[in-house]
Amino acid sequence: MKILTFVIAGFLASAVQAQQPWALDAVKIYPAPDVSPITGTIVIAGTKIRAVVAASDKGTTSVPRASQCNGGVVVAGFQNSHVHFTADEFRDARNLAAAELDSALTRMLTRYGYTTVFDIASDRDNTLALRDRIEKGDVRGPRILTAALPLFPSNGLPVYIKHMPTELLNKLPQPSSEAEALRIVRENFAAGTDGAKLFIATPQGDGTIKRMPLEIARVAVDEAHRRHKLAFAHPTDIQGIEDALEAHVDILAHPPLGAPAPWPEALMKQVRDAGMSMMPTLKLLQVELEKQGVTAAVAEQVLTENVAEFGKFAAMGGQVLFGTDVGYVTDYDPAREYELMAQAGLTSMQILASLTTTPALRWKEQKQRGRIAGGMNADIVVLDADPADSPRNFAAVRCAIRNGEIIYAKE
Ligand SMILES: [Zn+2]
């Protein structure tokens, strides 16, 4: 009886705690990329931001503070729209110890402030198991959206994934007919996935590129749209972008990295006018050039050229979504990506938009997330330094808060 009383009392205490508002004080709050920053306090109640109180307003807040998150620069939670849960540290997500998954998620994502991620190719059942454990509260982590099993051209896995475990490679769909493509996309959606991913063109390593027939790409994209979901494409080259446009793809997982400059201006305008988003993944190009063993001078030249071409797309008003391809890229630190985006001409506030308001709008969740304001989801990043001083400061994360819960706090 005593034990029972204790359990009930404990339950009530934690329930009260969960309901009780708490707050964090910020030296600077960026409510949104297009709103002037203020100094103040953010009050959080349950999963929502209850209020943002400017320091000039007296008599705020006697509510408790999360002291480890106080005193930083506050922005909305980030979305990384291009990740993969394919690394060894996520394999067997159903059975791995919670602490191991927790630390893998911290290393790859939450320590950099990603409160939402879109996994755009992985072992479906494993990623869904990982998501379940996070949503049950067994593991701390970001909100996971996933395209799960991507589609490749028939007999057309790209050369750069051939090192992956055979067990995974054997699961990767390479449909040779519209009916097969439709069946695979439907299976993905029935399992609970959130989008479709097409490898529309894949380099084979012998100088040839395999391409997905337009009618197969179309069937997959149309099925995603029928369910009000978005379709991603890996374009590889200029023709891949033309094909993605023809298939009405929504999001390019990369620019045509490595394509000779200048990228055709008319095509880039078409991408912009179609409302198709592009993810820069510029650090990926640097990583791949290093792998190919080209000289430092050549690598530097190719990278500079591609950064400038991407910058032209952004400057003409093309929609930019932040994404890094981590999971495939094994160096998880995004500081260099932010630096390259700035080199492409994006301001700190444009980079912030690619991480917050643009994905919120793209996923039609702008009423719930992407900004720091009363009534929004309490998805919050606290930075140690101001991104206005350096774009690298977007990676200097002190705390990440998702739905009102601290999912990362710097030691
Ligand atoms: Zn990728």
Side-chain angles (χ1 to χ4, degrees):
M1 197 59 199
K2 228 177 188 172
I3 291 170
L4 190 62
T5 312
F6 174 77
V7 168
I8 290 170
F11 171 74
L12 284 176
S14 63
V16 167
Q17 209 168 39
Q19 291 305 313
Q20 195 163 70
W22 58 284
L24 53 100
D25 299 317
V27 294
K28 200 170 192 180
I29 300 166
Y30 286 99
D34 57 351
V35 178
S36 299
I38 57 166
T39 301
T41 299
I42 293 149
V43 183
I44 296 155
T47 61
K48 300 283 183 190
I49 296 173
R50 174 172 286 181
V52 180
V53 187
S56 49
D57 291 349
K58 297 288 174 212
T60 7
T61 37
S62 53
V63 301
R65 301 299 200 269
S67 58
Q68 71 274 44
C69 302
N70 272 340
V73 174
V74 165
V75 287
F78 297 157
Q79 175 166 325
N80 188 333
S81 306
H82 188 157
V83 312
H84 299 283
F85 290 107
T86 43
D88 278 351
E89 57 201 9
F90 295 109
R91 223 193 291 178
D92 199 14
R94 199 178 304 279
N95 298 309
L96 269 176
E100 279 182 54
L101 283 176
D102 204 292
S103 92
L105 288 162
T106 301
R107 276 197 304 278
M108 186 163 99
L109 300 167
T110 53
R111 66 164 292 197
Y112 298 116
Y114 303 117
T115 53
T116 300
V117 298
F118 212 116
D119 158 81
I120 58 170
S122 62
D123 182 339
R124 180 179 66 212
D125 296 338
N126 194 60
T127 300
L128 293 175
L130 175 64
R131 172 161 84 185
D132 281 352
R133 289 186 69 181
I134 294 172
E135 294 312 310
K136 274 192 315 202
D138 173 27
V139 172
R140 276 187 323 172
R143 173 186 178 203
I144 294 176
L145 302 169
T146 180
L149 293 168
L151 273 60
F152 295 88
S154 179
N155 194 22
L157 295 184
V159 61
Y160 50 77
I161 65 165
K162 299 249 160 104
H163 64 283
M164 289 184 171
T166 319
E167 186 201 346
L168 174 61
L169 295 180
N170 286 342
K171 290 183 186 174
L172 298 177
Q174 302 157 58
S176 54
S177 71
E178 293 161 64
E180 195 186 350
L182 188 58
R183 179 182 57 76
I184 294 156
V185 173
R186 285 181 172 164
E187 276 173 15
N188 266 339
F189 283 123
T193 61
D194 308 284
K197 165 75 181 291
L198 314 176
F199 281 79
I200 219 152
T202 55
Q204 297 301 298
D206 57 0
T208 66
I209 290 180
K210 287 228 163 127
R211 296 189 188 274
M212 184 176 284
L214 181 59
E215 55 277 17
I216 289 186
R218 268 219 172 120
V219 144
V221 173
D222 288 351
E223 183 64 15
H225 288 171
R226 207 174 61 74
R227 295 164 187 262
H228 307 289
K229 306 286 190 191
L230 299 174
F232 296 74
H234 181 108
T236 299
D237 59 5
I238 295 293
Q239 191 187 327
I241 291 189
E242 291 166 355
D243 292 349
L245 270 167
E246 287 275 307
H248 302 132
V249 162
D250 304 289
I251 298 169
L252 295 169
H254 307 279
L257 292 176
W263 297 343
E265 193 184 337
L267 180 65
M268 291 298 125
K269 283 185 172 158
Q270 268 183 285
V271 170
R272 176 197 64 191
D273 295 343
M276 195 187 253
S277 320
M278 189 187 283
M279 292 196 256
T281 64
L282 298 168
K283 180 181 155 183
L284 167 73
L285 178 61
Q286 184 181 345
V287 169
E288 292 297 297
L289 288 164
E290 279 164 17
K291 270 194 215 162
Q292 286 169 18
V294 299
T295 65
V298 171
E300 180 61 35
Q301 196 212 328
V302 173
L303 184 64
T304 305
E305 219 171 77
N306 278 262
V307 166
E309 291 305 309
F310 172 74
K312 288 186 201 167
F313 171 74
M316 67 169 67
Q319 189 180 83
V320 179
L321 278 176
F322 183 81
T324 51
D325 211 352
V326 286
Y328 173 73
V329 175
T330 53
D331 172 3
Y332 297 150
D333 188 346
R336 177 69 174 148
E337 183 68 23
Y338 296 131
E339 192 171 63
L340 289 169
M341 289 170 82
Q343 192 183 314
L346 276 77
T347 63
S348 283
M349 289 302 104
Q350 285 176 308
I351 296 172
L352 181 62
S354 77
L355 286 157
T356 57
T357 44
T358 306
L361 202 61
R362 186 85 252 212
W363 273 270
K364 296 192 165 73
E365 293 175 343
Q366 68 272 23
K367 290 190 177 139
Q368 292 93 54
R369 65 180 178 110
R371 292 181 297 123
I372 299 292
M376 303 292 278
N377 289 357
D379 287 356
I380 297 167
V381 175
V382 183
L383 301 171
D384 270 333
D386 192 342
D389 297 334
S390 162
R392 296 181 67 91
N393 290 341
F394 281 117
V397 172
R398 181 180 302 186
C399 278
I401 296 157
R402 177 192 167 208
N403 281 339
E405 186 201 348
I406 298 171
I407 57 170
Y408 170 74
K410 201 167 103 182
E411 299 282 307

